[in-house]
Amino acid sequence: GVKAESLACVPKTRKVLVVDAKGHLCEVDCETDQVERAASAGHHQTPPRLTSVCAWDSKTCFVAGAERGKKTKCACWKVDLESNKVDEAPVLEANMIRALCAERERDRILVGCLDVEGDDDSPEVENARTRLMAYYPQDGTIKQ
């Protein structure tokens, strides 16, 4: 009964990943309708509100979210779907990450975020533009 924030199809499987506002990552098997909680960002005292997910392959996905009460300061973490472990260190931090998209043919993950910092209701954030960043999981580089 928690609001789903984002979902992603897992390549070469019949599974869908779903993230919710409570910081949980669930795996839904579309053949059996089984739902498993794959992971939660539990190394945080309060799990971040997860806002986006993208599947890299059947073993790895990336989730993005914000600390509770802070919508603009976001981070993106790598998740091992076999061990259900969320990496402690984020792979990148950005303002208000709104979307993640795996682009396997170009070996990168596109990250849609805002181009400014500020409080959620500040004029800067309300008038901000979306910025695309590219994260390359193979070597950990980020291009703006």
Side-chain angles (χ1 to χ4, degrees), residues 15-16 18 23 27 36 39 62 79-81 86 89 109 113 131 133 144:
K15 292 184 177 175
V16 174
V18 181
E27 196 172 63
E36 278 179 48
F62 292 85
V79 182
D80 182 322
L81 292 171
V86 180
I109 289 169
C113 54
R131 179 174 65 151
M133 293 166 49
Q144 305 284 341

Side-chain angles (χ1 to χ4, degrees), residues 1-5 18-24 26 37 49 68:
V2 179
K3 186 175 108 187
E5 295 279 345
V18 181
V19 291
D20 69 28
K22 289 221 164 105
H24 302 135
C26 295
R37 182 179 298 173
R49 200 179 102 249
R68 300 232 166 265

Side-chain angles (χ1 to χ4, degrees), residues 12-118:
K12 299 181 174 82
T13 71
R14 299 271 324 265
K15 292 184 177 175
V16 174
L17 299 173
V18 181
V19 291
D20 69 28
K22 289 221 164 105
H24 302 135
L25 169 67
C26 295
E27 196 172 63
V28 181
D29 188 318
C30 295
E31 281 184 68
T32 63
D33 284 344
Q34 247 185 320
V35 179
E36 278 179 48
R37 182 179 298 173
S40 70
H43 57 271
H44 298 265
Q45 266 138 7
T46 54
R49 200 179 102 249
L50 295 178
T51 54
S52 197
V53 60
C54 74
W56 186 247
D57 54 32
S58 61
K59 297 178 180 135
T60 310
C61 78
F62 292 85
V63 295
E67 281 178 53
R68 300 232 166 265
K70 292 183 183 162
K71 286 187 189 150
T72 53
K73 193 172 174 6
C74 292
C76 177
W77 296 271
K78 181 180 176 183
V79 182
D80 182 322
L81 292 171
E82 291 186 314
S83 67
N84 296 340
K85 289 263 189 299
V86 180
D87 276 6
E88 225 161 292
V91 295
L92 67 94
E93 291 176 322
N95 297 316
M96 221 183 259
I97 297 172
R98 281 285 161 251
L100 296 175
C101 178
E103 231 188 347
R104 285 303 305 255
E105 61 281 359
R106 297 181 76 177
D107 289 327
R108 69 183 184 179
I109 289 169
L110 293 176
V111 181
C113 54
L114 293 189
D115 64 350
V116 295
E117 283 184 55

